[in-house]
Every structure is written in structure tokens, then in C-alpha cells.
Amino acid sequence: YRQAQLAGELAVFLGNRKPMKSGPRDIWSATAKNCHQALMKHARLTSNEKAAYKNDPDGWMQQLVQSQGRGVLTCHHPGNGKQQPLAVKCNMVLLVAMAMAAERQQEA
């Protein structure tokens, strides 16, 4: 449950950002470091979560996104090589579609 909350916070953070100038218009992206800072600010990470992130920042973020991203959140290295820092992207079209489906289920 806790990890699902963190993934939700990430989706909100990315959804409130301006879309990238290049690439598909429905993809919002930020570096893993910026995503972690947003979680520190909005989700109040526990001391265990902070320690786990400090030990392996990219691994921690990838594990969170892979376990809870549901295809909406994915990790990537922008550009062609791994020189770029790890980033997290959010597929807004899929996120909105999932939210609408959930709303419809609540109405039924």
C-alpha cells in the first residue's frame, strides 16, 4: 500500500510539470533525483525509505516504478546513452484513461 501511495505521488508530481519540448506530447518526465525530492517534500519518506534510497538511488526508484508503475510510470535514460541521469516518465493519456475507468466503476 505504501509503495502505491508513493507511485501516486510521483504521477501527480509529473502530471503537474510542463511536458518536454521534444518527444511525444503525452509524456511528462523528470530526473529520478527530482522525483525523489518531490517525494521527500510531499510524501514524507520514512527513515528506512530514505536510507534505502541513499544506498542505491537509481535501484530504489526503478524498483518503485517497476512494482507500482502499471505502465503509467516508467524509468528511462534520456537520449541515446546511459550518460544521462535516470529519469521517470509518466504517460498522461494512460493515466487519464485509468482514472476515468476508476470513476466509472465507482458510479456503477
Side-chain angles (χ1 to χ4, degrees), residues 8 10-20 24-29 71-74 89-100:
L10 269 183
V12 169
F13 165 68
L14 291 167
N16 284 326
R17 293 173 60 84
K18 289 189 170 98
M20 294 185 301
R25 291 253 178 259
D26 60 340
I27 301 294
W28 275 245
S29 181
V72 173
L73 299 174
T74 52
K89 61 184 175 181
C90 182
N91 184 324
M92 294 304 290
V93 169
L94 186 55
L95 181 62
V96 169
M98 289 172 74
M100 290 172 72

Side-chain angles (χ1 to χ4, degrees), residues 16-73:
N16 284 326
R17 293 173 60 84
K18 289 189 170 98
M20 294 185 301
K21 287 187 172 46
S22 62
R25 291 253 178 259
D26 60 340
I27 301 294
W28 275 245
S29 181
T31 64
K33 184 177 179 182
N34 284 351
C35 288
H36 179 256
Q37 288 169 346
L39 289 178
M40 291 283 286
K41 185 176 177 183
H42 300 293
R44 296 187 179 89
L45 295 179
T46 65
S47 54
N48 284 350
E49 289 164 342
K50 289 175 188 173
Y53 177 84
K54 193 174 182 184
N55 287 340
D56 181 11
D58 284 2
W60 186 88
M61 190 62 69
Q62 286 174 318
Q63 190 279 326
L64 173 65
V65 168
Q66 286 169 358
S67 67
Q68 300 296 324
R70 297 186 196 153
V72 173
L73 299 174

